[in-house]
């Protein structure tokens, strides 16, 4: 997809600050230092728009980035960083749980994992959480340039098995350095948004059908 506009909108700490324009929202989740900011910058063709922190665990809000006035990337706080205070982790957890369960604009989650390593307990817990809530998930294996291409299949197989991925969930190898996976990820995003739009239209048609029959 050609990105013609991309902008940071707000760092939200609760529902009252979430945008109200009804655009599609895609949440990005992953461990601290897994490369969420780098992925966002590459996907939006904007160097430095999503700030890459030198302090893992620093992000404490839901950061909204609007792309082409058609969707928002919602960058979640990184999880799994030991130096973050327990009280802050609990606060994040409540905010994230509320968003995932209640945000009607949320279409699916992009979960980032490091292709070089098997998913951590936090990665597995995050994916399980999305499964329990019923949120579709695209798994992105970052840092694809750090291992040989010939080993990608082996590593993605380990990720898929450890997460116990659903059959309809996708895994994409990505590199913010080379751009590997960028076009594939955009194609998957657009495919899923079209699917969500079609389902919403079908649901609306079903609800209006009884009223039409009564006439």
């Amino acid at each position: 997809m050609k990105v013609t506009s991309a902008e940071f909108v707000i760092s939200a700490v609760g529902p009252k600050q979430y945008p109200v324009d009804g655009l599609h929202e895609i949440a990005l989740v992953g461990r601290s230092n897994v490369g969420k900011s780098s992925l966002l910058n590459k996907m939006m063709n904007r160097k430095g728009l999503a700030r890459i922190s030198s302090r893992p665990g620093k992000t404490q809000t839901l950061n909204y980035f609007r792309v082409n006035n058609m969707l928002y990337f919602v960058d979640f706080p990184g999880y799994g960083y030991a130096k973050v205070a327990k009280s802050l982790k609990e606060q994040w957890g409540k905010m994230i749980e509320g968003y995932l369960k209640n945000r009607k604009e949320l279409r699916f989650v992009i979960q980032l994992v490091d292709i070089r390593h098997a998913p951590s307990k936090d990665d597995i817990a995050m994916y399980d959480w999305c499964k329990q809530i019923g949120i579709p998930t695209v798994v992105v294996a970052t840092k694809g340039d750090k291992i040989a291409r010939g080993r990608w299949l082996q590593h993605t197989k380990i990720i898929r098995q450890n997460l116990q991925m659903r059959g309809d969930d996708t895994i994409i190898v990505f590199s913010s350095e080379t751009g590997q996976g960028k076009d594939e990820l955009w194609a998957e995003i657009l495919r899923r948004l079209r699917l969500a739009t079609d389902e919403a239209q079908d649901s609306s048609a079903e609800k209006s059908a009884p009223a039409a029959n009564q006439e």
Side-chain angles (χ1 to χ4, degrees):
M1 185 179 81
K2 183 177 181 181
V3 176
T4 57
S5 66
E7 59 183 330
F8 169 74
V9 176
I10 192 171
S11 291
V13 296
K16 291 182 179 179
Q17 293 182 306
Y18 298 163
V20 296
D21 50 15
L23 296 180
H24 300 299
E25 295 182 10
I26 302 167
L28 275 80
V29 304
R31 285 175 58 85
S32 299
N33 276 353
V34 75
K36 286 194 286 93
S37 295
S38 297
L39 179 142
L40 281 168
N41 288 330
K42 178 62 69 173
M43 293 295 289
M44 296 186 292
N45 291 331
R46 300 291 191 275
K47 290 183 178 181
L49 182 58
R51 295 183 180 179
I52 302 171
S53 175
S54 60
R55 290 170 50 198
K58 184 178 180 181
T59 301
Q60 303 174 16
T61 56
L62 300 185
N63 293 328
Y64 274 79
F65 298 88
R66 184 166 52 219
V67 182
N68 286 4
N69 290 316
M70 66 172 289
L71 64 87
Y72 287 104
F73 285 128
V74 186
D75 186 18
F76 274 37
Y79 54 75
Y81 191 62
K83 292 184 179 180
V84 176
K86 183 179 180 180
S87 60
L88 188 54
K89 285 184 181 179
E90 292 175 352
Q91 179 182 335
W92 291 355
K94 291 178 182 178
M95 175 176 64
I96 290 170
E97 181 177 11
Y99 176 89
L100 291 176
K101 285 185 174 180
N102 304 318
R103 186 63 173 164
K104 63 182 179 62
E105 287 83 1
L106 175 64
R107 298 296 173 255
F108 60 93
V109 166
I110 295 177
Q111 181 175 3
L112 280 63
V113 297
D114 190 326
I115 194 172
R116 299 172 296 179
H117 311 294
S120 67
K121 290 181 180 179
D122 290 316
D123 291 325
I124 294 171
M126 186 73 235
Y127 187 82
D128 283 345
W129 200 3
C130 290
K131 280 199 294 187
Q132 290 171 18
I133 299 173
I135 302 173
T137 305
V138 176
V139 176
V140 174
T142 62
K143 307 181 189 295
D145 57 292
K146 302 300 183 184
I147 64 172
R149 181 181 288 264
R151 296 169 59 197
W152 286 357
L153 182 59
Q154 174 190 354
H155 283 247
T156 55
K157 184 177 180 180
I158 291 172
I159 292 171
R160 185 177 289 277
Q161 289 176 340
N162 285 24
L163 293 180
Q164 297 183 16
M165 288 179 62
R166 293 169 289 196
D168 56 344
D169 282 344
T170 310
I171 184 167
I172 296 172
V173 178
F174 194 92
S175 169
S176 298
E177 294 295 325
T178 67
Q180 163 66 39
K182 175 184 173 182
D183 291 341
E184 186 179 356
L185 182 53
W186 266 124
E188 182 66 11
I189 288 171
L190 295 176
R191 183 186 74 82
R192 287 179 178 266
L193 292 184
R194 284 194 297 268
L195 182 62
T197 299
D198 290 344
E199 289 177 347
Q201 290 175 345
D202 290 343
S203 177
S204 177
E206 289 177 1
K207 289 180 180 179
S208 62
N213 292 334
Q214 288 176 2
E215 294 175 3

